[in-house]
Amino acid sequence: MALFTKAIEKESILLMSRGYMNYIVFDNFRDNHEYIAGTLRKKGVSIEELYSSGSKYKWMAWLKGASNAIYKSSSNDTLIFWYDFQGIISFWICRLLFLKRRIIILNLLLKNKPTLKNKIVSYLYKSALQSTNLKATVTSLEYGEALNRQLKIRKSYALLHDVYPFSEKEEREYEDCGNKVFCGGNNGRDWELIIRIGQSMPDVQFTLVMPDSAWKHYSKMPLPENIHIFNNVQLAEFNKLLQESSIVVLPLNTDAPAGLIVIFQAASQQKPIITTSTPVTKEYIDEKSGVLCKSDPDQYIKEIKYHLQHTDIARAKGKALRDKLKSKCSKDIYTKKLYNILLQK
């Protein structure tokens, strides 16, 4: 509470004593996207990067990071949050302490689940998003519309695509690695579906990189020899396993943003993507640059077989996806759009 008290005292001292300042807040030190602040500074924007301190408990790190951003800032300064829920936490701290901050949340990620936890979190989002002091971006306008229906609100969102971060030196041409399929990541994967698919395709090798919670469950199951599951792999190993596969398959169980980091990684290797059609994946993938499926194992099996047999088509789709993402998801486009959002006082 001492930190909050200091913030209130600072409010009265600094109010209107200087020009407005901008702070971009990252939820951990790994999210070091220096190009954002660097580009904005070149455009004349006063901005400082803040990083949340580590903690045994994630929610404590988010709370500390939000509190620190509020303490360092003053009335009407802008706080930009890389992690959406940390922005929501910041909003509620300000509301409870009668502080005024302009908040911008980058890339809303709220899921729609029939759980008590999700209902509580949805309430926090609903109230925050209805505030005129809070702006938010989405990676797909269709997802924004779905979110409004979920929360029963009317909110306008800015479209801000995720950034394709790879240089030409990091990119690779498509490589046919035989009958090998990769699926990996933490957020929103339908592991049950991909395992059912693998069980139905004994001649295809499936490499699945799971979070601990999923791995602990499926590692106890008697899986066929063609399904290999991993957890706790380093990023370099994750990327190596992806590169050693011919196709990246991402069945998803959420309409919220999920799988985009892996999609971008696959695109850098020109690997074709077969994934679930959601409001977000449709924003990045079409029939020329990948395959969008229903949550239907038979459709997935059909598409996997086809693209393993027709490597020319798989190669063309992988290249088309890379070219599309490089064109519409560049760092330059991202920072220009964020700059325009900051101008909208």
Side-chain angles (χ1 to χ4, degrees):
M1 288 302 297
L3 191 61
F4 297 154
T5 303
K6 289 181 179 178
I8 295 175
E9 293 173 349
K10 186 181 179 187
E11 196 77 12
S12 59
I13 298 172
L14 293 181
L15 183 61
M16 302 303 292
S17 65
R18 59 177 175 82
Y20 296 147
M21 183 66 178
N22 304 279
Y23 299 86
I24 183 165
V25 186
F26 297 101
D27 58 307
N28 61 67
F29 285 96
R30 292 190 301 273
D31 290 326
N32 187 0
H33 302 282
E34 294 178 347
Y35 69 89
I36 298 176
T39 302
L40 292 175
R41 289 190 189 105
K42 291 179 182 178
K43 295 179 178 291
V45 175
S46 297
I47 187 166
E48 181 180 342
E49 296 162 295
L50 301 177
Y51 296 90
S52 302
S53 59
S55 175
K56 181 179 179 181
Y57 302 102
K58 288 184 178 180
W59 65 269
M60 182 61 71
W62 300 335
L63 180 60
K64 287 181 179 178
S67 301
N68 181 52
I70 293 169
Y71 171 66
K72 287 183 71 71
S73 59
S74 59
S75 182
N76 290 317
D77 281 353
T78 298
L79 306 179
I80 306 167
F81 287 91
W82 183 256
Y83 178 53
D84 63 329
F85 188 58
Q86 196 171 29
I88 299 298
I89 292 173
S90 177
F91 167 84
W92 279 100
I93 292 174
C94 290
R95 170 171 283 191
L96 293 172
L97 298 177
F98 303 102
L99 302 175
K100 187 175 182 180
R101 299 291 186 274
R102 181 173 180 246
I103 295 173
I104 297 176
I105 294 176
L106 304 178
N107 187 9
L108 289 171
L109 295 167
L110 181 64
K111 296 180 181 179
N112 188 7
K113 292 183 176 181
T115 63
L116 177 60
K117 177 182 176 181
N118 187 261
K119 289 180 180 179
I120 295 172
V121 171
S122 294
Y123 171 79
L124 297 177
Y125 274 77
K126 180 175 181 176
S127 296
L129 290 174
Q130 291 182 100
S131 170
T132 57
N133 289 328
L134 187 147
K135 294 183 181 294
T137 75
V138 289
T139 58
S140 159
L141 290 178
E142 186 175 337
Y143 169 67
E145 294 169 0
L147 187 59
N148 280 350
R149 290 193 297 271
Q150 174 186 336
L151 299 177
K152 298 180 181 179
I153 62 175
R154 297 180 65 181
K155 180 76 173 183
S156 295
Y157 306 102
L159 177 63
L160 192 64
H161 291 132
D162 277 12
V163 170
Y164 178 82
F166 301 99
S167 66
E168 290 186 5
K169 292 182 179 180
E170 297 171 298
E171 295 175 339
R172 298 289 184 273
E173 296 292 323
Y174 171 77
E175 181 181 355
D176 180 6
C177 298
N179 286 353
K180 294 183 179 180
V181 168
F182 175 87
C183 177
N186 295 316
N187 180 31
R189 306 303 187 269
D190 192 335
W191 296 112
E192 181 177 347
L193 180 55
I194 191 66
I195 286 177
R196 287 174 60 193
I197 293 167
Q199 290 170 332
S200 301
M201 304 183 74
D203 295 332
V204 178
Q205 295 294 315
F206 285 78
T207 299
L208 314 182
V209 183
M210 303 175 169
D212 282 343
S213 56
W215 183 85
K216 288 177 182 177
H217 174 72
Y218 290 107
S219 63
K220 298 176 183 177
M221 295 176 56
L223 299 175
E225 293 183 355
N226 67 311
I227 299 178
H228 308 278
I229 62 174
F230 299 85
N231 74 320
N232 284 332
V233 302
Q234 298 296 317
L235 179 60
E237 178 66 13
F238 184 97
N239 293 339
K240 183 174 181 289
L241 292 170
L242 184 152
Q243 293 163 15
E244 292 173 347
S245 301
S246 295
I247 297 175
V248 175
V249 178
L250 295 175
L252 303 174
N253 58 15
T254 178
D255 284 345
L260 290 179
I261 294 175
V262 178
I263 288 173
F264 281 45
Q265 177 65 43
S268 75
Q269 308 299 310
Q270 298 189 35
K271 301 290 185 181
I273 294 283
I274 301 175
T275 187
T276 306
S277 178
T278 72
V280 177
T281 56
K282 286 189 291 183
E283 183 71 29
Y284 296 86
I285 296 173
D286 55 27
E287 68 279 1
K288 294 181 180 179
S289 57
V291 180
L292 296 172
C293 294
K294 298 177 182 179
S295 294
D296 177 5
D298 292 335
Q299 185 182 6
Y300 269 99
I301 291 169
K302 177 183 175 182
E303 295 293 352
I304 291 170
K305 286 181 177 178
Y306 181 83
H307 287 83
L308 287 175
Q309 293 169 359
H310 297 82
T311 56
D312 55 334
I313 294 176
R315 183 191 307 272
K317 288 185 177 179
K319 182 179 184 302
L321 179 61
R322 185 206 57 184
D323 293 345
K324 180 179 181 180
L325 296 182
K326 289 184 73 171
S327 173
K328 68 185 295 186
C329 301
S330 69
K331 293 179 180 179
D332 185 54
I333 292 174
Y334 185 95
T335 49
K336 282 182 179 178
K337 288 188 175 181
L338 182 54
Y339 176 71
N340 290 333
I341 294 170
L342 283 171
L343 292 182
Q344 299 168 10
K345 291 291 186 181

